[in-house]
Amino acid sequence: MTSPAVPRQPLLDDAIIALHAPTQAWSGRDGDIGDAAIDGIYHGDIRHIRSVRIRVADSSIETISRSIIDAATVEFGSVLRGLDDDGADPKVRLIRHRALSAGVMTEHLGLHSHRDVPLSVAVTVEVAPEFAPMQDVKAGLAATEPWHAEAIAASDGTPGRIEVRSSDGHRSFVVEAAGAAATVADTIVLRWDIELDPRSVVEIGWSATLTDDTLVVAAAANSEIAVPSTDDPRLARWVEQATRDLAALRLVLPDHPEDAFYAAGAPWFFTLFGRDSLWAARLALATDPGIAASTLRVLARLQGTKTDPATAEQPGKILHELRSAPLSLPNEGVHLPPLYYGTVDATPLWVCLLADARDAGMPEAEVRELVPALRAALTWITDFGSGTGSGFLDYVDETGHGLANQGWKDSGDSIQWRDGRLAEGPIALCEVQAYAYEAAVRGAQLLDDLGEGGGDELREWAAVLRDRFRDAFWVTTPEGRYPAIALDAHGAAVDSLTSNIGHLIGTGILDANEERACADLLLGASMSSGFGIRTLSLGAAGFWPLSYHGGSVWAHDTAVAVHGMLRSGLLAEAREVAGQLVDAAEGFAYRMPELHSGDSHDAVPFPTPYPASCRPQAWSAAAAIVCAEAYAAAP
């Protein structure tokens, strides 16, 4: 007897996406929507439409081309051989042009005939509503929610509009199809009866306009991003794709539409994240400095003001993520409130980005407006960040259903010893101490420059942290001497060699010799895959190239190391690592996914996808900007 299938997170690597946050459409490579678990048209955190299928009477539709025109536009070319004559050449084509804008998906269907006789062609588009929550899709548990539909007249009085509304009344979409006959049963069916003259083209089309009155985010009005120049043709293609994706990922909060931020990525993370939005803005600073300032303001407005274990909020703390409803991931045992603060690194990263933005030209008046938030963030770092009183910033989930790990490697098995054992929390991550050190030093300088007090105390705190870090974190193993990924609940240094050490470079917590030693390890055979830096070394028992955080390569993680190497003057090393990411980008048609396999370039000519990897991802796209800086700076 066959056991029932276990619900799984959908695979994403072979799907086609068009997006304009907060709206996205996922389909198969033939253009139809509905065959794969991820397929659908989403708005915010709801999959409004499960499937969209085109049929042509008397012919199959055989897709022969697909073109990703930009982040929001994709085109599929097909032949209709059932309508052909007896010759070898296909003579009837269907061009399916899909375009996304915020809240709207439009498809234009072009029928092209090279035949010398007229054709009568019936085309149908079948649309299946669903209204499933994104979290259910991610868990492999999506089911169609109750819905009802009614025909409504267009503004000019003609038929062809169907409004579909979820049973709770909060979500809806309107289908419009000029010239089509529309019927509603279990699905919505649009039908066109077309007379296709010899050697002619007929254009038809339809659209879906999606709404959700519970959304806490909205599309940004201005999505233009400068494209940095480079002489390397592969890097130029990656940068062009990356800036288009970053533009499509810009969002705002409705009460402050002037302040944009980067949504973390598609499909699961079309919302505000602390760490992700900060790192994306920081890595993209050279080409999009304005979004750094606006991201800082958005997060400052939601900065913690009280202590609440249920949400992990503390005074001065920067949030982890914002949702319109609680987030439940039953496969992972995670249940998060809509406003969740369970992140240990977002607060120091906020301070670091403020210092970067000021150095990049953020007006002093705008910086001064954020001084109260700056002071609150610095106080959280020095007074609240160490929940155990160890003096190091650490974390532990107090609820039992929050994130077990609260650094960027937030999967349950990400913090492990070289022998494969999982570390016991509370956990103090090495890179978080580096962020905190940098935040204290640069925050002190900001206060000094603005004529504010408190800088000396922050520098003293940072100096003590630096000394204690050197005493507690450095380990020696058969792989060399390096900072451990973390200290565990007993203060023991968790001795695996990881990409986390790349985040230390450029922060000031290491001296120049220590930075070069870390860079050499990251470029060594156990950490360097040839397509980027592995999250965990080959020498660790838990290494697996397709482990989410235990051997894979993350573009942003590698780019953070490049960012630090550039700041530390390790220009040749930065250029070498950046070149690995360019090799990887070529293998992914220049749209870098969230992560990919840690297989060695020596073993495989192209990077192996991590099949559930999100794309586009803001910080993976922003990695292209840092790589362009490395190419420009390298001798």
Side-chain angles (χ1 to χ4, degrees), residues 180-203:
T183 59
V184 178
D186 293 336
T187 60
I188 298 163
V189 178
L190 311 171
R191 178 187 171 102
W192 292 263
D193 291 305
I194 298 166
E195 296 301 321
L196 189 56
D197 292 335
R199 293 183 172 85
S200 67
V201 177
V202 171
E203 299 276 355

Side-chain angles (χ1 to χ4, degrees), residues 526-552:
S526 70
M527 290 299 297
S528 175
S529 74
F531 293 120
I533 297 168
R534 297 183 178 99
T535 45
L536 181 66
S537 79
L538 296 175
F543 172 82
W544 174 243
L546 286 174
S547 169
Y548 195 60
H549 290 131
S552 62

Side-chain angles (χ1 to χ4, degrees), residues 315-552:
K317 195 175 185 182
I318 298 298
L319 64 81
H320 175 63
E321 66 182 283
L322 172 69
R323 299 275 184 177
S324 58
L327 177 67
S328 180
L329 302 174
N331 294 2
E332 303 172 32
V334 172
H335 305 279
L336 306 181
L339 182 58
Y340 180 58
Y341 289 83
T343 170
V344 71
D345 52 8
T347 308
L349 285 171
W350 186 93
V351 177
C352 294
L353 180 61
L354 178 60
D356 283 353
R358 192 251 191 170
D359 291 346
M362 183 177 175
E364 183 173 311
E366 295 183 20
V367 177
R368 285 190 178 279
E369 288 177 357
L370 292 174
V371 166
L374 170 63
R375 286 198 176 278
L378 291 167
T379 299
W380 181 86
I381 292 168
T382 58
D383 294 4
F384 292 92
S386 179
T388 62
S390 67
F392 295 112
L393 272 68
D394 53 28
Y395 63 84
V396 66
D397 171 41
E398 298 183 41
T399 68
H401 54 75
L403 294 176
N405 284 312
Q406 297 182 5
W408 88 259
K409 292 180 178 176
D410 57 4
S411 56
D413 62 351
S414 62
I415 313 302
Q416 56 180 270
W417 297 77
R418 287 188 77 246
D419 61 12
R421 290 177 295 131
L422 297 186
E424 180 184 349
I427 297 289
L429 295 166
C430 68
E431 76 273 17
V432 175
Q433 316 317 312
Y435 302 157
Y437 175 84
E438 181 184 358
V441 171
R442 300 184 72 195
Q445 188 62 53
L446 273 173
L447 293 174
D448 288 352
D449 293 347
L450 295 171
E452 300 277 341
D456 290 342
E457 293 86 346
L458 285 166
R459 278 183 282 269
E460 291 173 8
W461 182 91
V464 171
L465 175 65
R466 191 173 191 258
D467 290 342
R468 296 183 67 250
F469 179 89
R470 183 168 287 108
D471 291 340
F473 273 83
W474 283 82
V475 297
T476 301
T477 75
E479 295 185 86
R481 184 171 183 271
Y482 51 84
I485 184 175
L487 304 183
D488 71 359
H490 309 289
V494 182
D495 61 353
S496 51
L497 173 59
T498 65
S499 61
N500 299 53
I501 65 174
H503 293 232
L504 311 182
I505 300 172
T507 63
I509 203 166
L510 305 179
D511 64 30
N513 291 331
E514 292 167 340
E515 287 182 326
R516 183 168 295 279
C518 287
D520 288 344
L521 282 169
L522 294 174
L523 286 164
S526 70
M527 290 299 297
S528 175
S529 74
F531 293 120
I533 297 168
R534 297 183 178 99
T535 45
L536 181 66
S537 79
L538 296 175
F543 172 82
W544 174 243
L546 286 174
S547 169
Y548 195 60
H549 290 131
S552 62

Side-chain angles (χ1 to χ4, degrees), residues 261-329:
F261 58 88
Y262 291 129
W268 317 123
F269 308 118
F270 268 17
T271 189
L272 174 67
F273 277 73
R275 173 194 315 115
D276 300 57
S277 298
L278 287 163
W279 260 126
R282 196 176 190 194
L283 294 174
L285 185 63
T287 192
D288 194 7
I291 206 167
S294 56
T295 299
L296 291 162
R297 288 191 289 268
V298 170
L299 290 169
R301 293 182 189 113
L302 296 169
Q303 191 172 26
T305 59
K306 62 183 182 297
T307 299
D308 183 357
T311 64
E313 181 180 357
Q314 291 175 317
K317 195 175 185 182
I318 298 298
L319 64 81
H320 175 63
E321 66 182 283
L322 172 69
R323 299 275 184 177
S324 58
L327 177 67
S328 180
L329 302 174

Side-chain angles (χ1 to χ4, degrees), residues 226 228-230 235 238-239 242-243 246 278-288 356 502 505 555-567 570-571 573-579 581-582 618-634:
S229 61
T230 175
L235 178 57
W238 182 22
V239 166
T243 52
L246 286 170
L278 287 163
W279 260 126
R282 196 176 190 194
L283 294 174
L285 185 63
T287 192
D288 194 7
D356 283 353
I505 300 172
H556 93 279
D557 181 36
T558 299
V560 169
V562 174
H563 179 260
M565 291 172 182
L566 287 173
R567 292 197 297 165
L570 300 171
L571 303 185
E573 291 83 352
R575 171 62 175 77
E576 182 177 347
V577 176
L581 285 183
V582 173
W619 56 13
S620 291
I625 311 304
V626 171
C627 289
E629 293 181 79
Y631 270 53

